[in-house]
Amino acid sequence: MGRSCNLLFDLAVFILLHHDTSLVLVPNICTDEAALLALKSHIPYHRNNILPRNWSSSTPICSWIGIICSTRHLRVTALDISRLELHGTIPPHLGNHSFLVSLRISNNSCYGELPVELAHLQRLKLISVTDQQINQLTGSIPTSIFNITMMQNIALTDSNLTGKLPITICDHLPNLEGLYLSINYLRGIIPPNLEKCRKLQILSLSLNEFIGTVPKEISVELGNLNKLQRLALTRNVFTGSVSAGIFNISTLQFLAFSENKLSGTVPSDLGRGMLILEKLYCAANILTGFISSSISNSWKLRIVDLSVNSFTGPIPESLGILRTIYLDYNRLDSRLTASIGGLHDLIEFNISSNLLSETIPQEIGNLKAATLVDLSKNIFSGKIPSILGGPDKLFNLSLAHNRLNGPIPDSFGKLLALQFLDLCYNNLSGENPKTIEALVYLKYLNFSFNKLSRVISSGGPFANATARFFLSHNALCGNSKYNVSANLPRGKRKS
């Protein structure tokens, strides 16, 4: 290939010297080869020595690893050197690939800045420089990249980039479908002209330093993003009220704006405007008001995380077919109703740190698929339902800090997958069930501050237990390492 490129150059010079009309050399496959060799020279470290062995002028460029050429123009149209464990910089020479449509350099260790010459790639539809390891990129995103009208996807996630997005970001991106900029250090506001990217399906800006309000233009009521499927704004510094219009984007499948400083309420008809929503993350904000039962109208909804807010009122009676529910650290009151038993596919259920009261319904034992159930730090009273020993996949169960009384059910011995069991700070009494010795995977158990009796076994999970898990028990006895009496108190002995 190197020899053929030299011959082509000699021929071009010959034509220029023997014709009266002036000719300009146009880029060709030799231009692409020179750019790729420049890229190779800017990568001093190759763990597997792939590029030095494969990218050679002695072999056709279109056979090099990571290269795709068009058959019509015989030009490089795609460059994919992702996951090759390369370490180096991205040279400006890449801007000479005038036929390049796809550029992927993800999962390597690139450092330095993104060259502004990338804006010369006017046929480019995809740029992916994500998940950079060790030495990451520096500097800001060249604003000229947002002027490539053919661009469909810009993916620069987790690349250590700084700066602001241009206010005119969507003025020249009529074909943009995906903007992936999460896990960087981008700041400033979200440009309000996002509505001009009418084909946008994915907007991922999580884990940055964006400020201000969430633009109303994102909402379908006020803008034109009627193809948006995924909106990720988690862990920024957004303030103000959440626009109700966001909850009416009918095409949304994923909505996340957790860990901001957003306030206000969620709509009373939550769910009716997002029928195909699958995941909803709104945790760690300052949201208030009630959670409407209309949320079940999102019939595809599987995950809801509204934790660490200030929601009040009851847990909705109708929750669809959810698999994950996080409502912990709110101010929900009322009681847990029998309808919870209808969530047969529920895997994680956390309603810790609320004001829920009365008894735990027997129907909670119907959660056969559950792996985590956390009802701690509420005001539940009455006895622990014996049927709670039914979910055989359960590995985390916490009923701590309530007002539960009565015995620990023997049925707990059937929770064979259990690894974490916390019953501390209740009024539990009776014998410490021997069946718990069968829980061979149990790594953490805490019975402190109850009124249990019986000899503490030294077998099964108790073998590694310490005194702090049995604090303030006036009727337990056992090994001295638990700081309890060596014998049962008089009157507690069994005949």
Side-chain angles (χ1 to χ4, degrees), residues 306-491:
L306 302 178
S307 61
V308 197
N309 279 288
S310 296
F311 289 112
T312 55
I315 295 175
E317 285 277 345
S318 178
L319 289 169
I321 51 174
L322 289 170
R323 293 183 179 176
T324 300
I325 302 174
Y326 279 87
L327 301 176
D328 49 303
Y329 289 93
N330 279 286
R331 299 187 62 79
L332 299 173
D333 48 38
S334 190
R335 60 192 179 91
L336 187 60
T337 65
S339 62
I340 188 66
L343 299 173
H344 300 293
D345 296 322
L346 192 62
I347 297 175
E348 296 183 7
F349 183 53
N350 189 342
I351 55 172
S352 170
S353 304
N354 280 285
L355 301 171
L356 299 164
S357 59
E358 299 190 31
T359 59
I360 300 173
Q362 291 285 334
E363 288 77 8
I364 199 168
N366 295 338
L367 307 181
K368 303 297 184 182
T371 61
L372 180 149
V373 173
D374 191 345
L375 312 184
S376 65
K377 298 182 181 179
N378 281 286
I379 321 173
F380 288 117
S381 58
K383 295 182 179 180
I384 300 174
S386 59
I387 197 172
L388 194 54
D392 55 5
K393 297 180 178 64
L394 193 65
F395 68 78
N396 188 321
L397 173 61
S398 180
L399 305 176
H401 293 269
N402 279 289
R403 298 176 184 176
L404 300 170
N405 55 47
I408 299 174
D410 286 337
S411 58
F412 274 20
K414 298 177 182 178
L415 300 174
L416 298 180
L418 202 64
Q419 299 180 25
F420 181 103
L421 176 60
D422 194 349
L423 304 177
C424 71
Y425 287 93
N426 280 288
N427 293 309
L428 300 174
S429 59
E431 295 188 349
N432 175 23
K434 191 174 179 59
T435 55
I436 291 179
E437 293 182 24
L439 306 181
V440 295
Y441 296 109
L442 195 62
K443 298 176 181 177
Y444 177 96
L445 75 162
N446 193 347
F447 296 160
S448 293
F449 297 94
N450 280 289
K451 300 176 182 178
L452 299 172
S453 62
R454 186 183 171 91
V455 177
I456 302 175
S457 171
S458 58
F462 297 100
N464 298 317
T466 61
R468 70 189 181 93
F469 298 134
F470 301 97
L471 292 173
S472 189
H473 280 294
N474 56 16
L476 283 175
C477 67
N479 194 301
S480 59
K481 72 175 183 176
Y482 303 130
N483 288 340
V484 295
S485 171
N487 298 293
L488 281 171
R490 188 176 299 275

Side-chain angles (χ1 to χ4, degrees), residues 120-337:
H120 297 165
L121 306 176
Q122 289 301 308
R123 288 181 171 85
L124 198 62
K125 294 182 179 180
L126 165 68
I127 178 172
S128 178
V129 190
T130 65
D131 301 312
Q132 294 305 310
Q133 313 295 321
I134 311 174
N135 294 311
Q136 296 186 328
L137 297 171
T138 56
S140 58
I141 304 170
T143 56
S144 51
I145 286 180
F146 300 112
N147 293 329
I148 303 175
T149 57
M150 298 290 289
M151 189 72 76
Q152 295 178 359
N153 287 281
I154 300 174
L156 302 173
T157 302
D158 195 9
S159 293
N160 205 43
L161 296 168
T162 58
K164 300 179 180 181
L165 297 180
I167 296 296
T168 57
I169 186 172
C170 283
D171 282 357
H172 305 288
L173 293 173
N175 297 300
L176 191 67
E177 297 177 357
L179 183 61
Y180 306 83
L181 301 178
S182 292
I183 319 177
N184 283 291
Y185 296 94
L186 301 174
R187 53 192 174 83
I189 64 170
I190 297 179
N193 80 334
L194 276 173
E195 63 172 339
K196 292 184 179 180
C197 291
R198 300 188 181 186
K199 294 183 180 180
L200 195 63
Q201 298 175 24
I202 311 293
L203 178 58
S204 181
L205 304 178
S206 295
L207 282 85
N208 278 289
E209 299 171 2
F210 290 110
I211 60 172
T213 59
V214 179
K216 291 185 293 185
E217 285 80 359
I218 290 178
S219 135
V220 73
E221 291 180 342
L222 302 168
N224 297 291
L225 299 185
N226 55 10
K227 297 183 184 299
L228 196 63
Q229 299 175 13
R230 183 182 179 92
L231 177 59
L233 305 175
T234 293
R235 202 179 296 181
N236 281 282
V237 199
F238 293 121
T239 55
S241 297
V242 182
S243 171
I246 287 180
F247 297 100
N248 287 318
I249 301 177
S250 61
T251 52
L252 270 184
Q253 299 173 22
F254 179 100
L255 175 59
F257 53 84
S258 297
E259 298 184 59
N260 282 285
K261 297 180 180 179
L262 294 167
S263 57
T265 61
V266 295
S268 58
D269 60 351
L270 178 65
R272 292 200 175 104
M274 302 184 293
L275 298 180
I276 60 172
L277 188 70
E278 297 177 6
K279 298 177 182 180
L280 175 62
Y281 298 93
C282 307
N285 282 287
I286 320 171
L287 301 174
T288 57
F290 290 80
I291 303 171
S292 172
S293 289
S294 63
I295 194 172
S296 62
N297 285 291
S298 298
W299 63 277
K300 284 191 171 183
L301 196 60
R302 297 295 181 270
I303 298 176
V304 169
D305 187 354
L306 302 178
S307 61
V308 197
N309 279 288
S310 296
F311 289 112
T312 55
I315 295 175
E317 285 277 345
S318 178
L319 289 169
I321 51 174
L322 289 170
R323 293 183 179 176
T324 300
I325 302 174
Y326 279 87
L327 301 176
D328 49 303
Y329 289 93
N330 279 286
R331 299 187 62 79
L332 299 173
D333 48 38
S334 190
R335 60 192 179 91
L336 187 60
T337 65

